């Protein structure tokens, strides 16, 4: 029954949700079988191809699969399908889910959604600690989850839920 004081909640009150392994694997198989909406690309920069499964940048020379992903499911005003990358080869799903992924400390925008998938708040990191923004968005009791996206390209990167 005892509740932690709010200060203690602030540091690790979130859980990082990387792309499900089944989704990554399905994308690799679809790319292999030549699906028109799945492209295999060779990364040519160290910070241009974020893998949504292991939550790290694909390195130059590594192959990635580019495919459309419904970050917000169909049937809602904010429904959204957009392009994401995963490593072309099997990679390990990001597992340090109580830690913000180090590769994406910069260049992310954060969108807060309610339980009906309506976007209710948004903020660009702009040099601020991502944890502070996530904490602020999750303090709103209406916020059901927060999506991290590329601040420039807009692409979905990962989801953040309350711990
Ligand atoms: Zn990966």
């Amino acid at each position: 029954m005892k509740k932690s004081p709010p200060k203690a909640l602030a540091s690790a009150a979130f859980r990082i949700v990387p792309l499900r392994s089944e989704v990554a694997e399905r994308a690799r198989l679809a790319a292999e079988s030549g699906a028109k909406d799945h492209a295999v690309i060779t990364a040519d920069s160290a910070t241009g191809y974020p893998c949504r499964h292991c939550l790290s940048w694909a390195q130059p020379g590594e192959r990635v699969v580019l495919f459309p992903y419904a970050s917000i499911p169909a049937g809602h005003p904010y429904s959204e399908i957009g392009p994401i990358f995963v490593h072309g080869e099997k990679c390990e799903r990001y597992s340090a889910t109580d830690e913000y992924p180090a590769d994406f400390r910069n260049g992310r925008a954060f969108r807060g959604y309610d339980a009906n998938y309506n976007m209710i708040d948004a903020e660009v990191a702009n040099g601020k600690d991502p944890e502070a923004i996530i904490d602020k968005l999750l303090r709103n009791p209406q916020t059901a989850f927060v999506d991290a996206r590329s601040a420039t390209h807009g692409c979905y990167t990962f989801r953040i839920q309350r711990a």
Side-chain angles (χ1 to χ4, degrees):
M1 297 301 272
K2 255 172 110 187
K3 280 197 172 165
S4 313
K7 279 266 161 60
L9 280 172
S11 54
F14 64 82
R15 183 166 63 90
I16 302 293
V17 185
L19 192 72
R20 297 205 322 274
S21 296
E22 307 87 83
V23 178
E25 198 47 41
R26 212 182 304 136
R28 291 174 186 130
L29 292 173
E32 242 171 66
S33 68
K36 288 231 181 329
D37 60 351
H38 286 55
V40 178
I41 294 170
T42 302
D44 58 5
S45 100
T47 55
Y49 304 88
C51 175
R52 272 62 164 196
H53 185 242
C54 62
L55 296 185
S56 60
W57 297 107
Q59 291 309 294
E62 282 187 314
R63 289 184 327 139
V64 291
V65 176
L66 175 64
F67 66 102
Y69 175 68
S71 56
I72 303 297
H76 303 277
Y78 284 92
S79 299
E80 196 158 3
I81 295 180
I84 62 169
F85 295 110
V86 293
H87 274 115
E89 308 300 326
K90 241 188 189 5
C91 60
E92 202 175 314
R93 191 177 189 228
Y94 184 78
S95 61
T97 54
D98 59 347
E99 286 170 34
Y100 187 88
D103 276 12
F104 304 117
R105 295 206 68 82
N106 298 309
R108 294 306 110 182
F110 299 89
R111 299 178 180 175
Y113 292 85
D114 68 14
N116 295 315
Y117 297 101
N118 292 307
M119 198 193 303
I120 53 172
D121 205 350
E123 192 167 333
V124 178
N126 260 344
K128 263 203 229 173
D129 266 350
E131 287 91 340
I133 297 170
I134 293 165
D135 183 57
K136 185 195 133 200
L137 293 171
L138 289 179
R139 273 172 195 274
N140 179 346
Q142 296 299 310
T143 304
F145 62 91
V146 174
D147 278 356
R149 290 177 164 259
S150 161
T152 50
H153 293 63
C155 310
Y156 173 84
T157 314
F158 55 89
R159 182 152 293 171
I160 303 134
Q161 294 177 335
R162 285 193 180 79

